[in-house]
Tab-separated table of all heavy atoms in Angstrom:
chain	number	residue	atom	x	y	z
H	10	TRP	N	-17.077	29.776	-24.351
H	10	TRP	CA	-17.069	28.708	-25.361
H	10	TRP	C	-15.916	27.717	-25.092
H	10	TRP	O	-15.267	27.252	-26.013
H	10	TRP	CB	-16.946	29.260	-26.776
H	10	TRP	CG	-17.983	30.263	-27.160
H	10	TRP	CD1	-17.773	31.566	-27.492
H	10	TRP	CD2	-19.390	30.056	-27.253
H	10	TRP	NE1	-18.955	32.192	-27.801
H	10	TRP	CE2	-19.978	31.273	-27.667
H	10	TRP	CE3	-20.238	28.962	-27.032
H	10	TRP	CZ2	-21.342	31.447	-27.857
H	10	TRP	CZ3	-21.600	29.126	-27.224
H	10	TRP	CH2	-22.133	30.350	-27.630
H	11	THR	N	-15.696	27.389	-23.825
H	11	THR	CA	-14.569	26.518	-23.467
H	11	THR	C	-14.891	25.048	-23.701
H	11	THR	O	-14.137	24.325	-24.354
H	11	THR	CB	-14.183	26.726	-21.996
H	11	THR	OG1	-13.873	28.110	-21.794
H	11	THR	CG2	-12.971	25.876	-21.625
H	12	ASP	N	-16.010	24.589	-23.170
H	12	ASP	CA	-16.374	23.164	-23.274
H	12	ASP	C	-17.508	22.942	-24.271
H	12	ASP	O	-17.480	21.975	-25.034
H	12	ASP	CB	-16.782	22.631	-21.899
H	12	ASP	CG	-15.655	22.728	-20.895
H	12	ASP	OD1	-14.598	22.118	-21.142
H	12	ASP	OD2	-15.815	23.411	-19.870
H	13	LEU	N	-18.489	23.815	-24.237
H	13	LEU	CA	-19.627	23.719	-25.164
H	13	LEU	C	-19.531	24.851	-26.179
H	13	LEU	O	-19.595	26.032	-25.823
H	13	LEU	CB	-20.947	23.817	-24.399
H	13	LEU	CG	-21.500	22.540	-23.766
H	13	LEU	CD1	-22.780	22.842	-23.006
H	13	LEU	CD2	-21.748	21.472	-24.806
H	14	SER	N	-19.356	24.506	-27.421
H	14	SER	CA	-19.320	25.508	-28.478
H	14	SER	C	-20.744	25.884	-28.883
H	14	SER	O	-21.725	25.240	-28.482
H	14	SER	CB	-18.542	24.986	-29.687
H	14	SER	OG	-19.231	23.884	-30.273
H	17	ASP	N	-22.262	23.024	-30.621
H	17	ASP	CA	-22.677	21.959	-29.706
H	17	ASP	C	-24.040	22.264	-29.097
H	17	ASP	O	-24.919	21.384	-29.008
H	17	ASP	CB	-21.642	21.778	-28.597
H	17	ASP	CG	-20.339	21.203	-29.097
H	17	ASP	OD1	-20.357	20.528	-30.143
H	17	ASP	OD2	-19.298	21.429	-28.458
H	18	LEU	N	-24.241	23.501	-28.672
H	18	LEU	CA	-25.528	23.869	-28.076
H	18	LEU	C	-26.658	23.794	-29.096
H	18	LEU	O	-27.769	23.342	-28.768
H	18	LEU	CB	-25.440	25.278	-27.489
H	18	LEU	CG	-24.757	25.368	-26.115
H	18	LEU	CD1	-24.556	26.810	-25.711
H	18	LEU	CD2	-25.566	24.631	-25.066
H	21	VAL	N	-27.637	20.260	-29.316
H	21	VAL	CA	-28.403	19.824	-28.145
H	21	VAL	C	-29.852	20.285	-28.257
H	21	VAL	O	-30.791	19.507	-28.021
H	21	VAL	CB	-27.758	20.367	-26.860
H	21	VAL	CG1	-28.671	20.128	-25.659
H	21	VAL	CG2	-26.411	19.706	-26.624
H	30	ASP	N	-28.631	11.719	-28.337
H	30	ASP	CA	-27.703	12.550	-29.103
H	30	ASP	C	-27.211	13.721	-28.256
H	30	ASP	O	-26.021	14.074	-28.280
H	30	ASP	CB	-28.377	13.061	-30.377
H	30	ASP	CG	-28.665	11.949	-31.375
H	30	ASP	OD1	-27.998	10.889	-31.271
H	30	ASP	OD2	-29.543	12.121	-32.242
H	31	ALA	N	-28.113	14.330	-27.523
H	31	ALA	CA	-27.727	15.436	-26.649
H	31	ALA	C	-26.823	14.939	-25.526
H	31	ALA	O	-25.858	15.611	-25.147
H	31	ALA	CB	-28.970	16.106	-26.071
H	32	ALA	N	-27.112	13.754	-25.011
H	32	ALA	CA	-26.277	13.183	-23.950
H	32	ALA	C	-24.859	12.924	-24.440
H	32	ALA	O	-23.881	13.124	-23.699
H	32	ALA	CB	-26.905	11.886	-23.438
H	33	ALA	N	-24.741	12.496	-25.704
H	33	ALA	CA	-23.413	12.251	-26.273
H	33	ALA	C	-22.614	13.546	-26.369
H	33	ALA	O	-21.410	13.584	-26.094
H	33	ALA	CB	-23.547	11.595	-27.642
H	34	VAL	N	-23.274	14.644	-26.753
H	34	VAL	CA	-22.597	15.940	-26.845
H	34	VAL	C	-22.163	16.409	-25.458
H	34	VAL	O	-21.029	16.878	-25.276
H	34	VAL	CB	-23.524	16.983	-27.506
H	34	VAL	CG1	-22.872	18.364	-27.475
H	34	VAL	CG2	-23.850	16.578	-28.934
H	35	LEU	N	-23.037	16.263	-24.467
H	35	LEU	CA	-22.716	16.710	-23.115
H	35	LEU	C	-21.621	15.857	-22.484
H	35	LEU	O	-20.772	16.364	-21.746
H	35	LEU	CB	-23.977	16.690	-22.243
H	35	LEU	CG	-25.090	17.661	-22.648
H	35	LEU	CD1	-26.283	17.530	-21.721
H	35	LEU	CD2	-24.586	19.090	-22.662
H	36	GLN	N	-21.654	14.558	-22.779
H	36	GLN	CA	-20.617	13.672	-22.241
H	36	GLN	C	-19.253	14.036	-22.810
H	36	GLN	O	-18.245	14.037	-22.096
H	36	GLN	CB	-20.955	12.221	-22.555
H	36	GLN	CG	-19.971	11.225	-21.923
H	36	GLN	CD	-20.396	9.788	-22.149
H	36	GLN	OE1	-21.405	9.526	-22.790
H	36	GLN	NE2	-19.626	8.855	-21.618
H	37	LYS	N	-19.202	14.347	-24.093
H	37	LYS	CA	-17.939	14.756	-24.710
H	37	LYS	C	-17.466	16.078	-24.130
H	37	LYS	O	-16.269	16.268	-23.871
H	37	LYS	CB	-18.129	14.867	-26.221
H	37	LYS	CG	-16.858	15.254	-26.966
H	37	LYS	CD	-17.107	15.349	-28.461
H	37	LYS	CE	-15.836	15.770	-29.199
H	37	LYS	NZ	-16.058	15.890	-30.674
H	38	ALA	N	-18.397	17.003	-23.915
H	38	ALA	CA	-18.034	18.299	-23.349
H	38	ALA	C	-17.596	18.171	-21.894
H	38	ALA	O	-16.711	18.900	-21.428
H	38	ALA	CB	-19.216	19.263	-23.447
H	39	GLY	N	-18.190	17.211	-21.174
H	39	GLY	CA	-17.819	17.016	-19.779
H	39	GLY	C	-16.469	16.369	-19.600
H	39	GLY	O	-15.858	16.487	-18.537
H	40	GLY	N	-15.990	15.696	-20.656
H	40	GLY	CA	-14.671	15.076	-20.572
H	40	GLY	C	-14.745	13.715	-19.913
H	40	GLY	O	-14.923	13.612	-18.707
H	41	ASP	N	-14.621	12.670	-20.713
H	41	ASP	CA	-14.671	11.291	-20.214
H	41	ASP	C	-13.246	10.831	-19.926
H	41	ASP	O	-12.445	10.609	-20.832
H	41	ASP	CB	-15.340	10.374	-21.244
H	41	ASP	CG	-15.588	8.976	-20.686
H	41	ASP	OD1	-15.270	8.745	-19.499
H	41	ASP	OD2	-16.112	8.129	-21.436
H	42	THR	N	-12.912	10.686	-18.635
H	42	THR	CA	-11.558	10.269	-18.260
H	42	THR	C	-11.331	8.776	-18.433
H	42	THR	O	-10.187	8.319	-18.461
H	42	THR	CB	-11.271	10.646	-16.797
H	42	THR	OG1	-12.209	9.970	-15.941
H	42	THR	CG2	-11.405	12.149	-16.585
H	53	GLU	N	-23.075	12.790	-13.257
H	53	GLU	CA	-22.555	13.987	-13.924
H	53	GLU	C	-23.476	14.430	-15.056
H	53	GLU	O	-23.695	15.638	-15.242
H	53	GLU	CB	-21.154	13.718	-14.454
H	53	GLU	CG	-20.086	13.710	-13.378
H	53	GLU	CD	-18.690	13.571	-13.953
H	53	GLU	OE1	-18.554	13.067	-15.069
H	53	GLU	OE2	-17.737	13.968	-13.260
H	54	MET	N	-24.009	13.481	-15.800
H	54	MET	CA	-24.913	13.829	-16.897
H	54	MET	C	-26.154	14.533	-16.362
H	54	MET	O	-26.627	15.522	-16.946
H	54	MET	CB	-25.310	12.556	-17.653
H	54	MET	CG	-26.196	12.805	-18.860
H	54	MET	SD	-25.401	13.878	-20.100
H	54	MET	CE	-23.946	12.909	-20.481
H	57	TYR	N	-25.207	18.126	-15.503
H	57	TYR	CA	-25.050	18.980	-16.683
H	57	TYR	C	-26.412	19.348	-17.277
H	57	TYR	O	-26.631	20.489	-17.713
H	57	TYR	CB	-24.198	18.276	-17.733
H	57	TYR	CG	-22.777	18.008	-17.283
H	57	TYR	CD1	-22.046	16.929	-17.774
H	57	TYR	CD2	-22.160	18.839	-16.345
H	57	TYR	CE1	-20.752	16.690	-17.368
H	57	TYR	CE2	-20.856	18.607	-15.934
H	57	TYR	CZ	-20.162	17.520	-16.445
H	57	TYR	OH	-18.882	17.294	-16.028
H	61	LEU	N	-28.069	23.244	-17.767
H	61	LEU	CA	-28.621	23.850	-18.981
H	61	LEU	C	-30.103	24.163	-18.819
H	61	LEU	O	-30.587	25.204	-19.313
H	61	LEU	CB	-28.407	22.918	-20.176
H	61	LEU	CG	-26.953	22.664	-20.585
H	61	LEU	CD1	-26.888	21.770	-21.812
H	61	LEU	CD2	-26.234	23.979	-20.870
H	75	SER	N	-23.070	28.324	-22.100
H	75	SER	CA	-21.776	27.654	-22.246
H	75	SER	C	-20.862	27.980	-21.070
H	75	SER	O	-20.186	27.100	-20.522
H	75	SER	CB	-21.115	28.078	-23.561
H	75	SER	OG	-19.815	27.525	-23.668
H	78	PHE	N	-22.177	26.190	-17.912
H	78	PHE	CA	-21.813	24.768	-17.982
H	78	PHE	C	-20.366	24.560	-17.541
H	78	PHE	O	-20.074	23.664	-16.737
H	78	PHE	CB	-22.019	24.259	-19.407
H	78	PHE	CG	-21.660	22.817	-19.625
H	78	PHE	CD1	-22.608	21.823	-19.483
H	78	PHE	CD2	-20.357	22.448	-19.954
H	78	PHE	CE1	-22.280	20.481	-19.677
H	78	PHE	CE2	-20.014	21.130	-20.147
H	78	PHE	CZ	-20.977	20.133	-20.001
H	79	SER	N	-19.446	25.375	-18.051
H	79	SER	CA	-18.027	25.226	-17.718
H	79	SER	C	-17.755	25.581	-16.258
H	79	SER	O	-16.888	24.980	-15.626
H	79	SER	CB	-17.174	26.103	-18.641
H	79	SER	OG	-17.300	25.690	-19.987
H	82	LYS	N	-18.929	22.590	-14.219
H	82	LYS	CA	-17.991	21.489	-14.451
H	82	LYS	C	-16.685	21.713	-13.705
H	82	LYS	O	-16.151	20.789	-13.073
H	82	LYS	CB	-17.715	21.349	-15.951
H	82	LYS	CG	-16.633	20.332	-16.278
H	82	LYS	CD	-16.234	20.386	-17.736
H	82	LYS	CE	-14.998	19.526	-17.997
H	82	LYS	NZ	-14.561	19.618	-19.411
H	83	ALA	N	-16.156	22.936	-13.740
H	83	ALA	CA	-14.887	23.235	-13.074
H	83	ALA	C	-15.013	23.105	-11.561
H	83	ALA	O	-14.126	22.552	-10.898
H	83	ALA	CB	-14.426	24.643	-13.452
Side-chain angles (χ1 to χ4, degrees):
W10 304 117
T11 303
D12 299 300
L13 276 178
S14 65
D17 291 336
L18 280 172
V21 170
D30 292 339
V34 174
L35 295 179
Q36 185 175 1
K37 181 180 179 181
D41 188 2
T42 61
E53 284 185 337
M54 183 60 59
Y57 296 151
L61 295 182
S75 175
F78 179 91
S79 297
K82 174 189 171 183

